[in-house]
Every structure is written in structure tokens, then in C-alpha cells.
Amino acid sequence: MPSPLPPGLPPPAETLVRDPDPFPGLVGFTAALRAAGVPMTTDRVAAFTEALDTLDVTDRKLTYWAGRLTLCSDPDDIRRYDAAFEAWFDPAQGPSTSPPSAPQAPPPRLTSLLPARQGGAAEDDEEEQDEDIVRATATGTEVLRHRDLGELSPLEREHLRRLLALLRPEPPTRPSRRRGPSRHGAPDPGRTLRAALRNHGEIGTLLRRDATRRPRKVVLLLDVSGSMEPYADALLRFAHVVVRRSPRSTEAFTLGTRLTRVTRELRQRDPERALSEASEAIPDWSGGTRLGEVIGAFVDRWGRRGAARRAIVVIFSDGWERGDTDLLGTQVGRLARLAHKVVWVNPHAGKDGYAPVQGGIVAVLPYLDHLLAGHSLETLERLLDVVRAA
């Protein structure tokens, strides 16, 4: 008769009752999160499963925090994660150990982006399914980058907000009058002599200095009139990203029937709160357009006082002017004499058959350094390259 096991030791492996493998159900939970709007990548799923490999997957609390810390990357994801977690796991029985019997169908817009299966047979290989989903997501993102911002569905607008939040604009720089240590440039007598004193009077290396660089100011003027309403929300979110990247050297204003400074509102970290407070501060949202008078007010109140001097001024507008177009040309000419570069971004410039024949665009064209399209995410990324190169 076998001797009893010492206390505290587990029974042999062959006597254990093996539980069903919980990981298929947990990987299915990540698919449910993706359908709920939480962006999923293979790296996050791998981190989630690796965390659960070291924890007790039967503990609901540990499973919750393992997913929240590895799968959520944005404050907005937490609300969706909580709802999906409650819907997927049974509060009384703990985590589900089997995948759902019928997977939830994706929204119609996403269905068109999913790659078609050959022969229509269901695939059991989980790895291949993940690769297909990642490939479809990449394809959908590339398509969305070239879509017109004014023609997006609500689901595509939500996706666009996440893509805008991923932008990392590099601020333009300009030479400074101050000089700093450098490998090239003129000799630096002070640093060279101080280094020689530390070396008992022996000059070992000739140290040099050269002009340093500092951020160049950027001014964003956004038209929020009725004709620009389909693009106003996306452009304000784009402005929020630029302002947050360089809050000390970037200013943002809205143009309509009056001039409104929204820099302070857009400096907030949360984009939803920033846009909410900015919209409350704008009294002429979706109103008329008096570009000549409003740009003149900017030059008088802010431009000549330093905001536009040697700055890169970017004007987002379609050029529809209800007032005097000659006045608009005069005021943009004044602005061009103050600024380093003036860039006009017209959402209609990227459409087929466009020609700059609007009265406002014709009046300002001689004073512009660049006339760019701004109707898609791809053109906004190109704008960031132009601003950085300036």
C-alpha cells in the first residue's frame, strides 16, 4: 500500500482533475473588446495572456485588472472595457472557460473591410484568424487615411479620433542668437581655457560652439463657418494635437464672424474636454464668414504684438468670403509681411477638378507660400511635414 503524501504537497499530476483550458475564452474576450471599440493589437493580447499565465485565472478580480492594465490605452477605453467585461464574464461563476457559441458579427462598415474566406469554410486556427483581423484593420486604417473628412460615418469618425491622437508632430525650429557646445562651428575660448585649467594648463582639445535652435511659433486659424462645418470637428482635434505637442509656441484661433482664441482650451490633455470647452467658447460656430475683417482683427490685436512675427501661420478655410475680397487680400498681405510663412489649407483643394477660382482664394493667392488640401488624414500629415520643413 503506498505511503500517504506529506502534508502540504499536491497530489500527483495523474490524480488531478484538469479544468478546461481557459485561454480560448480569454482570447475570445479580446475579440469582444475589439468589437466594443477598444483597439486590439497582437502585442496587447500577448501581454494579456502572459499576465494571466502568472496569475490565478479563476480569480475574477485578478483577471479584471490584468486585462485593464494590458488592454486599455486610453481613458475612454475603460468604460468600454468595463461593459464588455461584465457582459462576457458571469459574476457568479468567474471567467468563462469556453469561446462563445456564435461570435458577434462586426458592424456593416467593418464587414466590408474583412478579408473574404476561400470556399466559405470556417477556420479553426486561432492564429490565422488573428492575422486576418490585424490585416483587415491595417487595410481599413489605410483606406480611412484617404477618405474625405466631411463624408465619414460615426464609426469612422471615432476611428479617426484615435488616429489623430496617434500623431506626433515635430515642431519647426529656427536658429537662436545663443550659442552652445557643438562639434562644429567657431572655437569656444571660455570652455577651452576652463578645460585646460582642469588639465593643469594643458590644452588637450579645442572646444567649439555654434548657434542653437529654438522652437518657431506656429499660429492656427480655423474657419468654423457654416461651409466648413463638416470639417470643423476634425480640424479642431488636429489643432488640439498640435497645441498639446508644443503648448508654449503654438496659438489657435477660430474665424467666423468674429475672432476667438481657443489656445487655453486646447492645452488640456483630454481631447473631449478640450473640444467641449472650445465649442462653448466659440460664439459663432456654423455662422457666417467675414474672413477679411477677422484676419485684420488678428493682425491688429495679436499679429503685430508678436504672435505672428517670424511665425508659421496656417489658415484652414475654403475661401468663401461674404465680405469684400479685396479687404481679405489686403489683410492677408499684412499678415504675410509679419509671418515667416503663410500656409492656406483648403479642404476642397484635394478634390478632382478643383481650381482656385473662388474670390477669396484668388485675392490671397499672391501672398501664400503654400496652398494645400486638408480634406483627409493623409493631407493633414503632409501639412505637418510642410510646417516642420519651413
Side-chain angles (χ1 to χ4, degrees):
M1 181 175 180
S3 59
L5 292 172
L9 290 181
E14 59 271 13
T15 63
L16 289 175
V17 178
R18 297 185 58 86
D19 295 331
D21 185 8
F23 281 95
L26 295 171
V27 173
F29 170 58
T30 62
L33 282 177
R34 184 185 294 110
V38 180
M40 287 290 107
T41 62
T42 54
D43 294 340
R44 294 181 186 175
V45 175
F48 177 50
T49 55
E50 185 178 352
L52 291 177
D53 193 27
T54 61
L55 300 173
D56 182 8
V57 294
T58 62
D59 190 320
R60 177 183 173 83
K61 185 176 181 180
L62 292 179
T63 303
Y64 169 83
W65 282 107
R68 176 164 169 176
L69 294 176
T70 57
L71 301 176
C72 297
S73 61
D74 190 87
D76 293 337
D77 295 342
I78 298 176
R79 173 176 53 83
R80 300 185 181 92
Y81 175 83
D82 290 343
F85 189 89
E86 291 296 331
W88 185 265
F89 294 104
D90 185 354
Q93 300 179 6
S96 172
T97 59
S98 61
S101 56
Q104 183 179 1
R109 179 70 63 175
L110 292 182
T111 305
S112 62
L113 300 178
L114 292 174
R117 295 280 186 172
Q118 294 183 357
E123 297 288 346
D124 295 332
D125 190 351
E126 185 74 27
E127 226 173 282
E128 186 176 347
Q129 291 179 3
D130 288 344
E131 290 178 2
D132 286 343
I133 293 174
V134 171
R135 192 182 307 116
T137 303
T139 304
T141 300
E142 187 62 26
V143 171
L144 185 60
R145 288 181 65 250
H146 297 83
R147 288 287 306 277
D148 193 304
L149 299 177
E151 301 175 357
L152 301 181
S153 66
L155 181 63
E156 290 171 331
R157 290 185 182 276
E158 180 67 23
H159 192 184
L160 175 69
R161 293 171 185 174
R162 299 184 181 279
L163 294 179
L164 287 174
L166 295 176
L167 292 178
R168 294 295 181 266
E170 296 182 15
T173 60
R174 65 179 180 86
S176 172
R177 294 182 181 180
R178 294 186 177 184
R179 296 180 178 271
S182 175
R183 294 183 179 181
H184 310 283
D188 188 345
R191 292 178 59 239
T192 302
L193 290 177
R194 286 192 294 272
L197 291 176
R198 290 192 296 270
N199 197 29
H200 307 287
E202 222 28 72
I203 299 180
T205 305
L206 182 63
L207 302 179
R208 299 180 178 276
R209 62 182 180 180
D210 201 357
T212 59
R213 302 190 69 83
R214 59 184 302 178
R216 184 180 291 277
K217 291 179 291 186
V218 177
V219 180
L220 306 177
L221 304 178
L222 298 97
D223 187 348
V224 294
S225 62
S227 60
M228 287 289 292
E229 183 178 5
Y231 303 93
D233 179 79
L235 294 180
L236 272 175
R237 291 180 183 276
F238 174 78
H240 173 259
V241 173
V242 177
V243 171
R244 280 287 303 164
R245 184 66 172 175
S246 306
R248 295 186 177 181
S249 58
T250 307
E251 291 282 350
F253 299 82
T254 61
L255 311 176
T257 56
R258 64 178 66 185
L259 179 73
T260 305
R261 182 174 182 260
V262 292
T263 307
R264 182 176 61 84
E265 289 78 7
L266 295 182
R267 282 176 179 168
Q268 300 188 59
R269 182 175 183 178
D270 184 9
E272 300 302 329
R273 183 177 178 183
L275 263 71
S276 176
E277 295 192 6
S279 61
E280 293 178 0
I282 301 173
D284 53 347
W285 185 277
S286 276
T289 312
R290 294 189 299 179
L291 291 176
E293 298 179 16
V294 176
I295 292 179
F298 167 76
V299 174
D300 294 334
R301 298 177 192 173
W302 298 90
R304 293 193 304 177
R305 297 181 180 182
R309 292 187 183 276
R310 298 185 299 276
I312 300 174
V313 181
V314 183
I315 304 174
F316 297 86
S317 177
D318 54 5
W320 291 104
E321 172 62 293
R322 294 186 178 181
D324 187 2
T325 57
D326 292 337
L327 175 63
L328 175 60
T330 301
Q331 299 302 331
V332 174
R334 293 176 60 202
L335 181 60
R337 288 190 289 271
L338 289 173
H340 177 68
K341 298 284 185 181
V342 177
V343 181
W344 193 290
V345 181
N346 186 347
H348 303 301
K351 299 180 179 180
D352 295 336
Y354 172 80
V357 296
Q358 297 96 337
I361 296 295
V362 172
V364 303
L365 204 54
Y367 308 105
L368 303 181
D369 296 282
H370 299 279
L371 175 62
L372 303 177
H375 67 292
S376 65
L377 179 61
E378 190 265 341
T379 56
L380 293 180
E381 292 173 347
R382 191 182 310 163
L383 168 64
L384 293 178
D385 294 337
V386 171
V387 172
R388 182 178 66 250

